[in-house]
């Protein structure tokens, strides 16, 4: 259970005075020697605080091992839209999930439970992000460009990525809780991972939900085409497989709405991501079929041009 960590993280994040340093202070209060990095990232509409937490595994690369590394990325525009909206916004659930995951993994190490592979957790902390028009409901904007965040969060050390983002401003996935995407790799939308579906069933006790992807959803922001949201944006900046974890609702909820965070839904998504991290580091969770992917490349060539802004 991560409910305590969800509640504690929410109390830290739901403040007009929150900064990346305050989140770092909260996490160091759990494990004083934790590897946590915070710095300001300046963009065209202001700045935000990047937060990076590196949690070494017993057989991970940080300890000279060969176990794979997973990235757990909390995607969002901001955790608040002050002064336009007072309080924690729906769009902040990705950051809430990421911070709670970091707190849980650090707490697990205090209690003697270590994952085999390294875990990299990152998000950004901005209590006063701008809003932006979007159909069918308004988006949260961001003080920084998505390409900037990708450069900070997506690195060659990551062997797979789970990207968690509030995904409630649509009419294509209509359920409370969370849903996952198919695996995306280098411009290909691949079949949904059976291992991830198994873990989702186990952690939720329900049949899994998979939200649909259009090709434009996996292209970079800035090309003037419609995107479901930023949940798959890491796939534009890496060769590693990426799966979106969408925190969802039955109805369309604007990202800038306050009072729309459901702690049980965020906890469920975080618990799923934790179980994936455990299994992935042990080599027991595959995001995609390597042989089938190689077959696709042989038959159809690479699709890396979909990771770019394209040609006018």
């Amino acid at each position: 259970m991560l409910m305590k960590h969800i509640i504690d993280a929410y109390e830290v994040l739901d403040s007009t005075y929150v900064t990346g340093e305050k989140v770092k202070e909260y996490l160091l209060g759990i494990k004083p020697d934790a590897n946590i990095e915070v710095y300001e990232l300046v963009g065209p509409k202001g700045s935000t605080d990047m937060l990076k937490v590196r949690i070494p595994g017993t057989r991970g690369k940080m300890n000279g091992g060969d176990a794979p590394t997973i990235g757990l990325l909390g995607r969002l525009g901001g955790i608040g839209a002050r002064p336009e909206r007072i309080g924690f916004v729906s769009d902040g659930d990705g950051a809430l999930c990421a911070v709670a995951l970091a707190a849980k993994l650090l707490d697990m190490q205090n209690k003697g439970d270590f994952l085999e592979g390294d875990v990299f957790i990152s998000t950004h902390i901005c209590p006063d992000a701008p809003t932006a028009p979007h159909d069918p409901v308004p988006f949260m904007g961001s003080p920084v460009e998505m390409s900037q965040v990708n450069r900070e969060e997506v690195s060659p050390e990551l062997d797979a990525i789970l990207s968690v983002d509030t995904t409630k401003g649509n009419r294509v996935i209509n359920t409370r809780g969370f849903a996952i995407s198919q695996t995306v790799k280098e411009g290909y939308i691949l079949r949904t991972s059976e291992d991830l579906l198994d873990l989702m069933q186990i952690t939720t006790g329900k049949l899994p939900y998979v939200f649909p992807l259009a090709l434009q959803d996996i292209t970079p922001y800035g090309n003037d085409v419609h995107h479901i949201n930023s949940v798959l944006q890491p796939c534009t900046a890496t060769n590693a497989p990426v799966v979106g974890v969408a925190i969802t609702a039955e109805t369309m909820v604007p990202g800038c709405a306050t009072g729309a965070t459901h702690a049980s839904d965020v906890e469920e998504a975080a618990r799923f991501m934790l179980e994936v991290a455990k299994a992935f580091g042990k080599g027991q969770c595959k995001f995609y079929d390597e042989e089938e992917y190689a077959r696709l490349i042989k038959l159809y060539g690479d699709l890396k041009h979909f990771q770019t802004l394209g040609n006018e």
Side-chain angles (χ1 to χ4, degrees), residues 104-115:
K104 176 63 176 177
L105 282 161
L106 294 174
D107 186 48
M108 285 171 60
Q109 290 195 339
N110 286 339
K111 296 172 180 175
D113 285 334
F114 293 80
L115 276 61

Side-chain angles (χ1 to χ4, degrees), residues 33 45-46 51 149 192 206-207 212 247 251 300:
D33 63 345
K45 297 181 181 179
L51 174 74
V149 178
T192 312
K206 300 181 295 186
L207 291 172
I247 299 172
T251 60
Y300 303 106

Side-chain angles (χ1 to χ4, degrees), residues 5 15 28 42 51 62 88 140 143 156 172 174 223 243 245 269 286 300 308:
H5 304 92
S15 168
L28 289 177
V42 178
L51 174 74
M62 294 176 68
F88 190 88
M140 278 290 292
V172 296
N174 305 310
N223 59 1
V243 169
V245 179
K286 294 177 63 175
Y300 303 106
T308 73

Side-chain angles (χ1 to χ4, degrees), residues 62-145:
M62 294 176 68
N63 285 325
D66 59 359
T69 300
I70 193 167
L72 309 178
L73 309 183
R75 282 294 162 125
L76 68 158
I79 60 174
R82 298 175 179 89
E84 183 177 342
R85 298 293 180 97
I86 299 173
F88 190 88
V89 296
S90 174
D91 196 55
D93 288 356
L96 174 60
C97 188
V99 173
L101 273 165
K104 176 63 176 177
L105 282 161
L106 294 174
D107 186 48
M108 285 171 60
Q109 290 195 339
N110 286 339
K111 296 172 180 175
D113 285 334
F114 293 80
L115 276 61
E116 292 189 26
D118 297 340
V119 180
F120 172 74
I121 299 173
S122 184
T123 191
H124 69 92
I125 309 299
C126 179
D128 51 7
T131 59
H134 183 264
D135 183 43
V137 294
F139 258 179
M140 278 290 292
S142 177
V144 296
E145 299 286 356

Side-chain angles (χ1 to χ4, degrees), residues 30-43:
I30 298 171
K31 197 171 192 298
D33 63 345
N35 184 338
I36 303 170
E37 182 182 5
V38 170
Y39 56 92
E40 185 181 44
L41 186 65
V42 178

